[in-house]
Amino acid sequence: MFSANTYQSRRDRLKKDLKSGLLLFLGNNEVGMNYAGNTYHFRQDSNFLYFFGIDKPGLAAAIDIESGREILFGDELSMEDIVWTGAMPSLKDLAGQVGVREVLPFRRLLPFVKRARKDGQAVHFLPPYRHDNMLWLKDALNISAPKQKGAASEAFIRAVVAQRAHKTAEEIVEMERAVNISGAMHVAAMKAAREGMIEAELAGLVEGIAVGGGGHLSYGIILSVYGQILHNHYHGNTLRKGQLVLGDFGAETAMHYAGDITRTFPVTSKFTTKQREIYEIVLDAEVSAIQSLRPGLTYQSVHLATARRMAEGLKAIGLMQGDLDEAVAQGAHALFFPHGLGHMMGLDVHDMEDLGEKYVGYSDGVQRSTQFGTAYLRLARELEPGFVLTVEPGIYFIPELIDQWRRKKKFTEFINYPALKKYRDFGGIRVEDNVLITDTGHRVLGEPIPKTVEEVERLR
Ligand code: GLY
Ligand code: MN
Ligand code: MN
């Protein structure tokens, strides 16, 4: 936990920004995996963590801006609970640690919110994503679950995004810690991988390092010899000579700040010439995108410049052709690079995605593209000091997509389909680092994680 002062000043700023109303924060609960008592790993809601810091299930909180009351709702442990869980700090103590003086039993929350509504006070809530919280909101506000996202308070969302988007020095310390644990996970995978291993052996190894770091994984591990499948969570393939391993995984710290790192390496100790050519294009794009980062630039422009740079590399080896400005403007590069260059990071790996990319990644001046590829960009708006984001270009050879585009004769002036035949079983390459936008430029977070061809081959 940070100091009580941190949480108090975050809440004070919310009150100032919202000016009136009742702000509702629903914490997360345990979720049964196959029966109620056998639960998934507990993860507190990030907005609750940010403003109230307490990492326990069964809690909610409210801020009544008019009266100034800040209340934590939850139940103290009974003796029966303590027999199973051991003694724990009381809620009263925990509340005190985050500067909250008032604690009420959870059952008091529903009448509290209903009373506020009856009195004509606006009840502000954030878009829910857990079904138990949706059921509770239905009881409290009489809004059906499918309508709740749309009925969430835009003013509340905007005020939360305005704070969480800018990381403070103490948050950056946590994020560097997350990146360093994530880096150790990648180095371990690069050292351990051997021909004949199952992907799951490496996935198990790196998950252990995340847990050993005191936290957990920050998202489901992507680790595959089929790196062209973007969110590939299957780990049953055997590592074969001539293949690449794409690993996209990271840790969150005990305080739940995330790391999100990708590295790609060959199953044998050296890249083949073909692999090395593509790897150098991706790495050069990643490094030059990072080098360009500074406040004031839109991330959409960095995304497009990176697509253009990779298109040049692909033209140099004969896979793309023609006028590359036109190719990128029309979206031909998305055959190879069908996702966005990056996203915000923080307490969530895709930071604040629950609140809506419209508010987090876009602005009035920067609208989402509708074009395949660029439409998936999660962060597009002007960069500001304090933003932490990922830079994660990639080049993939997706046989199904290549076949479809070739059949449709899509972008034949920009794509050399005959030359692509030799790349059908290539897989994919992505390189991803986590970067802080500073007042004057940027800083890559954490200790450097091997990524040049020489560094990767030395580790292999
Ligand atoms: N780890 C998923 C992503 O990079 O967005
Ligand atoms: Mn990633
Ligand atoms: Mn990412």
Side-chain angles (χ1 to χ4, degrees):
M1 248 186 229
F2 295 127
S3 71
N5 196 33
T6 290
Y7 299 103
Q8 188 64 67
S9 56
R10 288 171 177 176
R11 295 192 300 268
D12 287 346
R13 190 172 150 201
L14 261 190
K15 290 187 231 176
K16 228 164 74 200
D17 287 352
L18 270 294
K19 296 187 183 67
S20 66
L22 185 77
L23 310 184
L24 193 58
F25 299 83
L26 298 179
N28 282 340
N29 297 310
E30 299 279 18
V31 178
M33 197 161 51
N34 47 346
Y35 52 92
N38 190 22
T39 57
Y40 286 106
H41 166 74
F42 172 71
R43 176 55 157 80
Q44 182 57 292
D45 172 72
S46 298
N47 297 304
F48 191 91
L49 278 175
Y50 189 82
F51 292 100
F52 289 88
I54 307 175
D55 193 5
K56 298 225 175 264
L59 301 177
I63 301 176
D64 180 341
I65 300 182
E66 276 85 347
S67 72
R69 283 171 82 189
E70 297 176 334
I71 312 167
L72 179 71
F73 291 87
D75 299 318
E76 298 289 0
L77 293 183
S78 67
M79 186 48 70
E80 267 186 50
D81 294 326
I82 290 169
V83 168
W84 294 96
T85 64
M88 302 257 179
S90 71
L91 277 188
K92 199 99 194 133
D93 288 346
L94 291 171
Q97 287 173 30
V98 295
V100 172
R101 277 186 292 275
E102 207 175 341
V103 180
L104 292 176
F106 197 89
R107 66 183 152 73
R108 298 276 299 275
L109 180 61
L110 193 62
F112 182 81
V113 170
K114 286 190 169 171
R115 160 66 41 204
R117 287 181 66 215
K118 232 187 202 144
D119 292 348
Q121 192 179 25
V123 177
H124 296 274
F125 63 96
L126 298 170
Y129 54 91
R130 290 271 181 115
H131 292 170
D132 50 354
N133 282 338
M134 291 178 184
L135 289 172
W136 190 91
L137 279 173
K138 165 83 173 69
D139 275 355
L141 305 176
N142 199 26
I143 304 171
S144 69
K147 298 221 167 96
Q148 288 170 6
K149 218 171 159 181
S153 162
E154 184 175 333
F156 193 8
I157 292 170
R158 286 189 186 279
V160 172
V161 172
Q163 288 199 50
R164 282 184 57 187
H166 299 95
K167 274 67 183 178
T168 59
E170 61 187 351
E171 291 184 286
I172 297 303
V173 169
E174 274 297 307
M175 297 204 68
E176 296 224 76
R177 193 169 287 152
V179 173
N180 286 338
I181 301 166
S182 307
M185 293 160 73
H186 281 273
V187 169
M190 281 192 245
K191 282 185 177 170
R194 294 286 178 276
E195 188 187 344
M197 268 186 170
I198 310 287
E199 294 159 343
E201 294 177 63
L202 295 174
L205 173 74
V206 303
E207 180 161 353
I209 296 168
V211 174
H216 210 262
L217 293 171
S218 45
Y219 53 96
I221 293 172
I222 297 165
L223 190 157
S224 183
V225 292
Y226 299 118
Q228 80 280 5
I229 303 171
L230 295 184
H231 280 177
N232 187 347
H233 299 299
Y234 177 73
H235 301 139
N237 300 301
T238 302
L239 276 56
R240 305 260 181 234
K241 199 170 142 191
Q243 288 179 317
L244 292 165
V245 178
L246 186 153
D248 179 349
F249 44 80
E252 63 170 34
T253 61
M255 284 188 63
H256 302 291
Y257 284 88
D260 180 7
I261 301 291
T262 305
R263 291 291 183 269
T264 309
F265 59 85
V267 170
T268 46
S269 58
K270 289 198 182 311
F271 291 95
T272 64
T273 305
K274 219 160 86 183
Q275 288 169 343
R276 188 184 173 122
E277 279 176 353
I278 302 290
Y279 190 89
E280 295 282 20
I281 296 170
V282 175
L283 182 66
D284 163 76
E286 198 239 15
V287 170
S288 58
I290 291 173
Q291 276 167 356
S292 74
L293 295 179
R294 57 178 164 73
L297 216 54
T298 71
Y299 207 50
Q300 198 170 54
S301 71
V302 183
H303 170 90
L304 291 171
T306 306
R308 174 71 166 77
R309 199 167 174 110
M310 288 200 288
E312 266 169 52
L314 289 167
K315 184 172 178 175
I317 59 170
L319 297 182
M320 287 190 77
Q321 59 204 13
D323 178 344
L324 295 183
D325 286 333
E326 207 36 55
V328 171
Q330 291 186 31
H333 63 280
L335 178 64
F336 306 99
F337 177 40
H339 62 74
L341 184 62
H343 49 86
M344 292 269 218
M345 298 182 62
L347 280 166
D348 308 306
V349 61
H350 293 171
D351 209 25
M352 300 176 277
E353 197 161 288
D354 59 318
L355 301 178
E357 275 173 16
K358 176 176 151 198
Y359 304 108
V360 178
Y362 287 80
S363 61
D364 291 341
V366 186
Q367 301 294 318
R368 188 186 286 276
S369 161
T370 53
Q371 196 179 72
F372 174 74
T374 305
Y376 297 131
L377 186 58
R378 299 180 197 279
L379 172 62
R381 69 196 254 202
E382 255 186 34
L383 301 178
E384 296 174 18
F387 283 11
V388 175
L389 48 87
T390 67
V391 180
E392 50 178 307
I395 291 179
Y396 313 88
F397 296 88
I398 306 170
E400 298 81 359
L401 189 63
I402 294 169
D403 289 347
Q404 189 206 52
W405 282 30
R406 194 190 52 235
R407 263 199 318 274
K408 289 185 172 174
K409 299 193 170 34
K410 210 167 159 172
F411 298 131
T412 45
E413 67 273 44
F414 304 127
I415 291 164
N416 183 355
Y417 287 105
L420 272 176
K421 286 204 181 91
K422 290 200 294 273
Y423 288 81
R424 284 186 75 78
D425 59 355
F426 183 95
I429 292 176
R430 175 164 69 255
V431 179
E432 174 176 26
D433 284 298
N434 306 155
V435 185
L436 166 71
I437 304 301
T438 62
D439 289 337
T440 51
H442 65 270
R443 183 162 73 77
V444 179
L445 293 182
E447 299 293 322
I449 305 161
K451 67 177 173 181
T452 65
V453 166
E454 293 68 28
E455 287 165 348
V456 171
E457 290 187 344
R458 204 175 308 136
L459 263 184
R460 296 292 302 130

